[in-house]
Amino acid sequence: MPARHLAAAAALVLASAVPAAAAAPAHPYQPAGSTEVPVERGSARLRLSPDLRSALKEDGVVVAGVDAKGRISPRGHSGGGTTLRLTGGAVTNSGGKLGGELRFGKAGLALVATGSGPGGTQSGSSRKSVKVTRFEVDLGHGTLTAALHNGTRFTLGTFPHPATRSAVNTKTRSLRVDLTIKATASAARLDAALGTHCFTGHRPLLHARIVASLERSVDVRTALNLGQPGRDADRARTRSVVSGAPVPRMPVSRMPVSGVPLFR
């Protein structure tokens, strides 16, 4: 075959191979890292900080629960908190920090001014009350938002971003995180509605303990880029070497290899 025909045939072979290489699938063990993992179910226990509870009590404000229909519980909560059911959301891993958002439906908290505080004279239907509902936790931005009287949303508090590895258990496909939330300047809307001065100064607002189950059909470890099974021991060994801690030595076999003894 002439040389020019050989060159043309080689060019055709190379051209046909390029699309096949481009269409080759990614490595099956390559973690995504930015994939959202939906939340199936869960709850959050919200508890006002002792400092805020004390300030509210001094101003004659009682904390009560609000159900999904907007009804205020006839009894206040001595602990200053409530448990909310998780109704939706997803989590991600953003540079080792937990991302995503969690939504908690229509229920929430009510703050009722009884008029028993300093200078308080309210009674009966004249008592002021504030409903704070539709809580949403933005894990990526570290914010807690809510709706005032089921209307305008505002940023109620902020919190430090939790680490993904400490919050997500890949074996049980669960999320467990404790958030210490501080009030924002927007929280002063509650003071304006109640006639109090309890939510100013970025004081500690509440503690949230969130427990949730993640979508069972998703490979949580891969989706959140949390490494592959069996590599935790290697990482621990590497950390020991870097920190100078003693590394356990593996036993050396004295069996001959290829008929040649290791020790003479």
Side-chain angles (χ1 to χ4, degrees), residues 3-182:
R4 65 176 180 274
H5 291 169
L6 288 173
L12 288 174
V13 171
L14 290 173
S16 62
V18 170
H27 194 284
Y29 296 108
Q30 182 178 0
S34 59
T35 304
E36 286 190 348
V37 178
V39 174
E40 288 188 333
R41 60 187 180 277
S43 63
R45 173 62 181 170
L46 305 182
R47 189 178 182 87
L48 298 185
S49 71
D51 180 53
L52 180 56
R53 290 205 308 269
S54 177
L56 290 171
K57 183 177 180 180
E58 185 177 346
D59 280 355
V61 176
V62 175
V63 181
V66 178
D67 64 19
K69 294 183 179 181
R71 296 173 298 197
I72 300 177
S73 171
R75 292 184 178 182
H77 296 294
S78 58
T82 189
T83 298
L84 302 178
R85 183 174 63 88
L86 185 61
T87 59
V91 297
T92 63
N93 182 11
S94 179
K97 298 295 184 179
L98 204 60
E101 65 176 17
L102 305 172
R103 298 182 295 275
F104 294 94
K106 299 179 180 180
L109 290 170
L111 304 173
V112 182
T114 63
S116 59
T121 58
Q122 300 174 37
S123 61
S125 60
S126 64
R127 292 178 179 177
K128 296 180 180 179
S129 64
V130 176
K131 295 179 182 179
V132 187
T133 59
R134 298 179 183 271
F135 286 95
E136 291 187 9
V137 174
D138 189 323
L139 296 166
H141 291 88
T143 58
L144 172 68
T145 61
L148 190 60
H149 295 300
N150 286 322
T152 305
R153 297 198 63 82
F154 69 107
T155 302
L156 184 59
T158 60
F159 54 87
H161 297 185
T164 308
R165 286 189 179 278
S166 62
V168 176
N169 187 318
T170 57
K171 292 183 179 180
T172 60
R173 299 176 182 272
S174 61
L175 170 72
R176 290 179 178 269
V177 60
D178 290 330
L179 305 176
T180 299
I181 302 170
K182 289 188 176 182

